[in-house]
Amino acid sequence: QVLLVASGGGLVQAGDSLRLSCVVSGHTFSSYTMGWFRQTPGKEREFVAAFSRSGGGTYYADSVKGRFTISRDNAKNTVYLQMNSLKPGDTAVYVCAARYSAVASDGPYDYWGQGTQVTVSS
């Protein structure tokens, strides 16, 4: 069983930065392409970013391109999401996910974590 545990969320002001982490256990981390999604009440889950399992390929939603950076450390079984220039519209529960595919894309994903809350005040 693959377990994903996200952390690093919090309450920040607009313009601030935050780094989320997601630790994966239960399987070979390097076998998975990793992604970040976010969800707010009443809205569909939104893709944020993905990092492929090989070759370092990344893929971002237009809404975060240039502000967010996804990275991974295979030695630590961890994927990160560095979020800069945060806006109130970035407020959401951020969830990490894993897919057994070499391609960084917005889906589908096979495993999901529990999420971490990010709140950006104006």
Side-chain angles (χ1 to χ4, degrees):
Q1 182 179 358
V2 180
L3 182 64
L4 295 83
V5 180
S7 62
L11 172 63
V12 297
Q13 293 186 331
D16 285 351
S17 298
L18 208 57
R19 189 177 81 156
L20 306 182
S21 302
C22 175
V23 179
V24 181
S25 61
H27 212 281
T28 306
F29 178 72
S30 59
S31 298
Y32 293 93
T33 285
M34 299 301 300
W36 284 98
F37 292 75
R38 62 189 183 187
Q39 188 150 22
T40 54
K43 291 186 177 181
E44 288 190 5
R45 185 167 54 204
E46 178 189 11
F47 168 77
V48 175
F51 198 115
S52 70
R53 71 182 184 192
S54 60
T58 57
Y59 178 55
Y60 294 92
D62 288 342
S63 58
V64 306
K65 204 173 293 183
R67 299 188 298 123
F68 291 11
T69 302
I70 188 171
S71 62
R72 64 189 293 163
D73 186 337
N74 286 349
K76 295 183 177 180
N77 289 358
T78 303
V79 60
Y80 304 97
L81 185 68
Q82 177 66 43
M83 304 185 295
N84 299 329
S85 303
L86 282 162
K87 306 174 181 179
D90 295 319
T91 295
V93 173
Y94 283 73
V95 179
C96 58
R99 67 192 298 249
Y100 195 68
S101 167
V103 179
S105 79
D106 57 0
Y109 280 75
D110 303 303
Y111 302 98
W112 297 85
Q114 88 292 356
T116 184
Q117 176 71 46
V118 172
T119 303
V120 184
S121 63
S122 58

